[in-house]
């Protein structure tokens, strides 16, 4: 599942070598990353509670999530219906967040444990209408991206959850005299 199935998305390969390959999901103003048959996620947060309510409310101390973030939930004991599923964060507070639109009142009671992991993504300036007009070329951990309506950009990977995108600075580089 992509971030929003109602919008067109584009999948682009990113291959550094045979053991370091990714799929990039370009969508409306974002890029998400996939490796080894799954989405790349940020560090897990420990779940200490999950209500049987409409909607379900997760307790995870100092989770740092924002409304609209997507999280994967795993390893919950008791309310196993939530395991291995992706949810959208809503009505977050410092230590809790709702599972947007998910009625957990009929689920088995939460007993202990579990983790929540935010789907890793970065922001871009490319709209849904523009993602199919993007052109790409790659050298090692750097991918150059062009579009007729944007300045050329450089997407750089330094780790699985460390990607940056920035305009190309033509004032520096080995091509100058």
């Amino acid at each position: 599942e992509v971030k929003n199935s109602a919008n067109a998305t584009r999948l682009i390969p990113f291959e550094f070598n045979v053991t370091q390959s990714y799929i990039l999901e370009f969508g409306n103003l974002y890029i998400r990353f996939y490796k080894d048959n799954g989405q790349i996620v940020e560090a897990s947060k420990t779940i200490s509670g999950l209500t049987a309510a409409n909607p379900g409310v997760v307790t995870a101390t100092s989770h740092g999530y924002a409304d609209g973030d997507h999280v994967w939930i795993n390893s919950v004991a008791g309310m196993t219906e939530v395991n291995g599923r992706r949810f959208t964060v809503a009505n977050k507070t410092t230590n809790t967040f709702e599972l947007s639109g998910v009625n957990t009142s009929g689920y088995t009671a939460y007993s202990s444990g579990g983790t929540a992991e935010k789907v890793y993504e970065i922001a871009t300036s490319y709209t849904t209408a523009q993602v199919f007009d993007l052109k790409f070329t790659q050298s090692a951990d750097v991918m150059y991206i062009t579009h007729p309506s944007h300045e050329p950009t450089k997407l750089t990977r330094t780790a699985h959850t460390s990607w940056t995108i920035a305009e190309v600075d033509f004032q520096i580089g080995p091509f100058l005299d």
Side-chain angles (χ1 to χ4, degrees):
E1 177 69 19
V2 296
K3 183 175 183 176
N4 183 344
S5 295
N7 295 333
T9 56
R10 184 173 178 191
L11 301 178
I12 301 296
F14 185 100
E15 185 174 322
F16 178 69
N17 60 38
V18 293
T19 60
Q20 296 180 54
S21 298
Y22 299 83
I23 296 294
L24 311 181
E25 173 192 325
F26 280 78
N28 190 49
L29 306 176
Y30 74 91
I31 305 172
R32 286 185 166 184
F33 306 88
Y34 298 80
K35 182 171 177 40
D36 299 331
N37 300 315
Q39 287 184 314
I40 294 180
V41 293
E42 296 180 2
S44 63
K45 303 295 182 177
T46 301
I47 294 173
S48 58
L50 211 161
T51 65
N54 186 14
V57 177
V58 176
T59 302
T61 303
S62 301
H63 55 75
Y65 301 148
D67 289 350
D69 285 346
H70 290 166
V71 295
W72 285 95
I73 293 184
N74 290 295
S75 304
V76 169
M79 194 179 289
T80 58
E81 296 91 340
V82 299
N83 288 333
R85 293 181 54 197
R86 188 183 76 177
F87 299 94
T88 302
V89 171
N91 297 316
K92 64 93 182 169
T93 68
T94 301
N95 298 316
T96 66
F97 59 91
E98 291 180 2
L99 303 178
S100 180
V102 179
N103 182 351
T104 58
S105 60
Y107 291 5
T108 310
Y110 172 84
S111 60
S112 67
T115 60
E117 298 169 314
K118 179 182 167 191
V119 174
Y120 179 73
E121 71 178 60
I122 62 172
T124 72
S125 58
Y126 307 117
T127 65
T128 299
Q130 295 172 331
V131 296
F132 289 97
D133 294 326
L134 297 173
K135 303 288 186 209
F136 306 89
T137 190
Q138 183 183 345
S139 176
D141 275 339
V142 176
M143 177 178 276
Y144 294 91
I145 306 168
T146 62
H147 186 277
S149 300
H150 295 270
E151 293 295 322
T153 57
K154 178 171 72 170
L155 177 66
T156 306
R157 176 193 81 108
T158 53
H160 293 317
T161 57
S162 183
W163 296 72
T164 57
I165 192 165
E167 287 187 6
V168 175
D169 184 353
F170 289 107
Q171 300 303 310
I172 60 172
F175 43 83
L176 297 178
D177 291 320

